[in-house]
Amino acid sequence: MTTPSDDAAEPVPVRVVLPADPVLGHPVQEVVARLWRRRQTETGWLYLVGLPSYRDREDGGVEAAEYRVWVRAPDQVWPVDGVDYDQVTTERLEPSPQSAVREVLGERRPSGWVVAKVREGRGPARGVLHAPDCQEAPQGAPLLDVESALNVAENPGTRLCTLCGCAQELTPLLSGFDHIGDSPGS
């Protein structure tokens, strides 16, 4: 429990939803509290609110007090109409630095594969399997997962694109990894 003098900033009103307590038979309640601070976290926003409370005085009396607690927004906190929240102390997350891996390798390509259908004369339909960000990949084609891409790749009429690396990624999965340890000509 704290007192308003703990913070130099002036709090602003905010609506706080108090949870129901089925054991005691208390329904969900909404109270107007005082918003002291906002903090952005990896999982969303937290608001430090001061809820109205009471405390015992040493002389046996009771006095008004404030109980401060962090609550999750927007689940437990709503704005009060007409209140300007721009003046509330706000702690924003700093953008996370890029990992060394991403810095060296660049952005990851989108996962999955797409098929470009190719018709050559009267024969059966043929296709070329691409990574979705390949410049030769058809726009708007459905994305295939690994298993579906391998099924398509096993079709004799399908070619694997070497431009985007599809062939390098899927060929070991199609032919197995047994050949990796083999010496040439064995």
Side-chain angles (χ1 to χ4, degrees):
M1 223 181 291
T2 60
T3 59
S5 62
D6 291 346
D7 278 72
E10 285 294 316
V12 294
V14 67
R15 295 183 303 164
V16 177
V17 177
L18 302 176
D21 186 344
V23 174
L24 297 175
H26 295 168
V28 172
Q29 295 178 10
E30 183 180 303
V31 297
V32 175
R34 298 184 331 156
L35 176 59
W36 288 95
R37 170 178 303 250
R38 300 182 287 195
R39 178 179 294 157
Q40 186 180 24
T41 69
E42 295 283 341
T43 58
W45 285 91
L46 295 176
Y47 282 39
L48 180 62
V49 297
L51 297 167
S53 182
Y54 296 96
R55 67 174 156 220
D56 294 330
R57 293 190 327 212
E58 288 190 24
D59 66 2
V62 176
E63 66 182 356
E66 181 177 75
Y67 176 73
R68 291 191 189 172
V69 62
W70 288 97
V71 294
R72 187 154 305 284
D75 303 334
Q76 300 165 303
V77 183
W78 294 321
V80 172
D81 291 337
V83 175
D84 178 18
Y85 292 97
D86 290 338
Q87 65 185 347
V88 176
T89 302
T90 303
E91 301 169 24
R92 296 193 181 277
L93 268 182
E94 292 296 320
S96 60
Q98 278 194 329
S99 72
V101 172
R102 182 165 289 162
E103 199 172 301
V104 172
L105 298 178
E107 293 294 318
R108 282 186 63 188
R109 73 165 178 84
S111 61
W113 292 270
V114 295
V115 178
K117 302 229 187 260
V118 179
R119 277 254 182 227
E120 294 177 0
R122 293 185 161 176
R126 298 187 176 274
V128 180
L129 208 51
H130 297 278
D133 60 346
C134 179
Q135 60 186 342
E136 301 291 323
Q139 295 299 313
L143 209 56
L144 303 175
D145 62 11
V146 175
E147 189 174 336
S148 300
L150 290 173
N151 287 339
V152 169
E154 287 178 335
N155 181 332
T158 302
R159 197 170 52 80
L160 305 180
C161 179
T162 55
L163 180 65
C164 64
C166 181
Q168 291 84 346
E169 290 179 34
L170 293 181
T171 300
L173 298 174
L174 286 167
S175 58
F177 292 96
D178 296 337
H179 69 283
I180 292 175
D182 297 343
S183 60
S186 57

